[in-house]
Amino acid sequence: DAGVIQSPRHEVTEMGQEVTLRCKPISGHNSLFWYRQTMMRGLELLIYFNNNVPIDDSGMPEDRFSAKMPNASFSTLKIQPSEPRDSAVYFCASSLVRDEQYFGPGTRLTVT
Amino acid sequence: SQQGEEDPQALSIQEGENATMNCSYKTSINNLQWYRQNSGRGLVHLILIRSNEREKHSGRLRVTLDTSKKSSSLLITASRAADTASYFCATTLTARLTFGTGTRLQVTL
């Protein structure tokens, strides 16, 4: 079975540009999570969806960040405009109910 | 914040030795999970212990949970070089996980 799929794996962009990260959760999982990992702040939950509905977006840093889940098999995290401090590894994870989460390989974002 | 704190931050041992990592948290939980992260990779779930459990085993892993002290420990027995990774505890009360700061484990030959 395919795990959580994220694309792109690496993204380098200039400050001010729009960045879109994509995630395909494991089929049948009903919860999807977006995390950000940096050396300074560790692993932070940005937002999570349950049955395609955003449940908790309290971790979204600011209005420049937005996330959507148009259907059960796809989610996007968008940053517009991007800033150098957004540089991090962004992980998507999915789960079934309240059990273990399955993480994707991550997208390493560098904003110059 | 419910963020957990792992202790130690870094641990270096020789292959064959046991490795113990500790996690402390601040609020009530439904369960506590341990994850492993190899360098440059996503996190991999290792083991889950529920709030009404005190100890759990999985292969070479042993996890304990003391809800009165709000702490957990992860023991890896007979460590191998392949166990080299960062280990994170994560607590959950609802569906969201709150991760600790992690312990970097280095297992040398």
Side-chain angles (χ1 to χ4, degrees):
Chain A
D1 287 341
V4 174
I5 299 172
Q6 290 187 249
S7 65
R9 292 294 309 277
H10 301 273
E11 177 80 32
V12 180
T13 190
E14 292 184 345
M15 183 174 63
Q17 297 298 307
E18 177 180 295
V19 175
T20 299
L21 311 181
R22 297 173 176 80
C23 175
K24 176 178 170 57
I26 293 173
S27 177
H29 283 189
N30 60 358
S31 294
L32 182 140
F33 306 79
W34 282 101
Y35 292 91
R36 178 174 67 177
Q37 186 176 37
T38 62
M39 288 294 292
M40 292 297 296
R41 301 175 66 91
L43 199 62
E44 305 172 280
L45 176 66
L46 300 177
I47 185 171
Y48 82 88
F49 296 82
N50 189 47
N51 293 323
N52 311 339
V53 176
I55 302 300
D56 183 351
D57 65 354
S58 60
M60 295 287 263
E62 48 198 273
D63 292 345
R64 297 184 297 107
F65 286 68
S66 63
K68 294 182 180 179
M69 192 165 186
N71 56 62
S73 60
F74 184 66
S75 177
T76 60
L77 178 67
K78 185 176 293 186
I79 308 172
Q80 166 63 21
S82 58
E83 297 182 1
R85 61 192 168 118
D86 301 331
S87 297
V89 181
Y90 291 80
F91 289 102
C92 176
S94 69
S95 73
L96 188 62
V97 197
R98 294 182 182 181
D99 288 329
E100 60 194 82
Q101 293 184 14
Y102 292 80
F103 281 74
T107 295
R108 183 173 296 276
L109 173 65
T110 303
V111 183
T112 60
Chain B
S1 170
Q2 190 177 317
Q3 185 178 37
E5 295 282 337
E6 275 93 336
D7 168 51
Q9 289 188 343
L11 180 61
S12 182
I13 60 173
Q14 289 191 324
E15 198 172 49
E17 294 180 336
N18 295 341
T20 299
M21 288 160 269
N22 303 295
C23 167
S24 60
Y25 57 93
K26 298 179 181 178
T27 64
S28 299
I29 62 172
N30 279 336
N31 64 59
L32 185 144
Q33 303 176 37
W34 285 89
Y35 287 78
R36 182 185 72 213
Q37 184 179 33
N38 290 85
S39 180
R41 309 287 292 273
L43 281 76
V44 174
H45 181 267
L46 294 176
I47 193 167
L48 179 152
I49 185 166
R50 303 196 185 279
S51 59
N52 61 352
E53 297 176 312
R54 293 296 169 259
E55 187 171 313
K56 202 162 185 179
H57 297 254
S58 176
R60 294 185 294 114
L61 304 180
R62 173 178 170 258
V63 170
T64 63
L65 179 64
D66 187 335
T67 53
S68 66
K69 296 181 179 179
K70 292 186 168 56
S71 67
S72 174
S73 68
L74 171 67
L75 168 67
I76 304 174
T77 60
S79 64
R80 306 167 181 168
D83 295 328
T84 295
S86 291
Y87 292 81
F88 295 87
C89 70
T91 55
T92 179
L93 184 59
T94 59
R96 60 179 295 161
L97 288 176
T98 302
F99 283 88
T101 52
T103 292
R104 293 189 308 278
L105 173 65
Q106 176 76 43
V107 181
T108 57
L109 296 173

